[in-house]
Amino acid sequence: MANYKTFAKLYDELFDEEAYADWFEYATGKIENHSGKVLELAGGSGRLAIQLIQAGYDTTIFDLSEEMLALAMQHAQDAKVDLPLIQGDMREWSDLPTKFATITSFADSFNYLANENETLQAFKQVADHLEPGGQFLFDVISPYQTDVYYPGYMYNFHDDDTAFMWSSYGVEGAKHTVEHELIFFVYNAEIDGYQQVTEVHTERTYELPTYFKLLEEAGFVDVNVTGDFGRQTEVDDETPRWFFEAKKQAYQKYEER
């Protein structure tokens, strides 16, 4: 976990601000209950949550990483906004009493879960914490991304204090699964040299019908899928990222299931 404290800050500094702008545009264009409570699930360093608060949405952030939440608190203080923070595991947060009108989750968060059962478990937690008829907005990478785009992908970056190398590989025998090897070289003034910090991330995804099945089993209806932050209304075999809109069933229908 000590390494992740370094990673949290590095991820935050390197992340594409244009992507945050696109997620913000997508979320604000889809949220129907503008006065209702919003939860940014697996919200990381809080950049999107803060933008939503600044736009007038009553937003809370939920994340597994205490280090990311510490960054979110700092960003909120810098922006002079009040951002409620919740630390927890998206697969199990039953002790949270609050119900939300909208729950959002972007940046591949569900792709880091280990299997379909964990994904279903997380979807059920979302449904349990939504108001009747509440909205669930999230994205996942598609099989095109794991099977075609990512294998062999490389990205390098450096500035005066940091160098970053990202390499992605397919995983033999694991369907629609990819590993990202992330290597940072960070300047340490105490030793007047660079330290290497390495982490491997595994992402997996499923065919579109699987997501529909899991969402239905978790209690969601009116599921709609688009691409390109909602700008591509009909997805195809080369759509790299799917954007889902779904609604929790009303209590009467939900309890009958």
Side-chain angles (χ1 to χ4, degrees):
M1 185 63 81
N3 280 352
Y4 195 79
K5 185 172 183 179
T6 301
F7 267 98
K9 186 174 186 296
L10 292 171
Y11 292 151
D12 186 49
E13 290 175 349
L14 289 171
F15 212 90
D16 186 358
E17 292 186 6
E18 291 184 4
Y20 281 116
D22 283 333
W23 280 312
F24 174 79
E25 180 182 353
Y26 175 79
T28 54
K30 297 297 184 182
I31 293 174
E32 296 176 355
N33 186 347
H34 294 268
S35 61
K37 292 182 178 295
V38 177
L39 180 69
E40 240 282 89
L41 182 62
S45 65
R47 292 188 181 274
L48 177 58
I50 289 168
Q51 290 181 30
L52 291 171
I53 291 172
Q54 291 171 330
Y57 294 91
D58 181 2
T59 307
T60 298
I61 189 172
F62 182 111
D63 201 86
L64 177 64
S65 167
E66 294 180 3
E67 288 78 14
M68 281 294 187
L69 290 176
L71 279 174
M73 178 181 294
Q74 183 60 57
H75 291 322
Q77 291 172 350
D78 293 342
K80 296 181 172 57
V81 300
D82 181 19
L83 174 60
L85 309 173
I86 300 172
Q87 193 275 329
D89 188 326
M90 68 193 302
R91 297 165 296 185
E92 183 57 54
W93 35 301
S94 300
D95 58 345
L96 181 65
T98 306
K99 300 288 186 181
F100 297 89
T102 305
I103 294 178
T104 64
S105 187
F106 301 115
D108 310 4
S109 298
F110 289 98
N111 296 119
Y112 286 90
L113 299 177
N115 50 50
E116 289 184 30
N117 288 336
E118 288 195 359
T119 304
L120 175 59
Q121 188 177 351
F123 284 172
K124 286 182 175 179
Q125 290 294 310
V126 172
D128 287 346
H129 291 86
L130 277 171
E131 298 172 353
Q135 281 184 287
F136 181 27
L137 305 173
F138 70 99
D139 67 9
V140 294
I141 56 174
S142 71
Y144 175 82
Q145 192 83 340
T146 57
D147 302 353
V148 179
Y149 181 81
Y150 270 141
Y153 176 85
M154 296 186 67
Y155 173 77
N156 298 319
F157 166 86
H158 70 86
D159 59 17
D160 292 340
D161 297 320
T162 306
F164 170 56
M165 296 187 296
W166 169 3
S167 301
S168 298
Y169 313 92
V171 179
E172 186 174 356
K175 191 174 183 180
H176 306 325
T177 302
V178 65
E179 285 187 346
H180 309 293
E181 183 184 56
L182 309 175
I183 303 174
F184 290 91
F185 295 91
V186 184
Y187 180 72
N188 185 333
E190 294 181 2
I191 63 172
D192 191 24
Y194 287 83
Q195 289 182 305
Q196 178 178 330
V197 188
T198 302
E199 196 169 89
V200 176
H201 289 198
T202 302
E203 290 192 89
R204 58 189 53 79
T205 195
Y206 309 101
E207 301 290 340
L208 201 52
T210 299
Y211 285 107
F212 277 95
K213 174 178 70 71
L214 296 175
L215 287 166
E216 181 181 8
E217 191 172 343
F220 288 98
V221 296
D222 299 334
V223 180
N224 185 45
V225 183
T226 57
D228 191 22
F229 299 90
R231 294 184 284 261
Q232 181 188 1
T233 57
E234 297 290 336
V235 299
D236 55 38
D237 292 341
E238 295 185 356
T239 301
R241 183 183 297 273
W242 293 326
F243 290 79
F244 285 82
E245 309 166 56
K247 287 191 176 181
K248 177 181 176 177
Q249 292 175 331
Y251 275 142
Q252 183 177 0
K253 293 181 179 179
Y254 191 68
E255 292 172 352
E256 289 175 355
R257 291 185 55 79

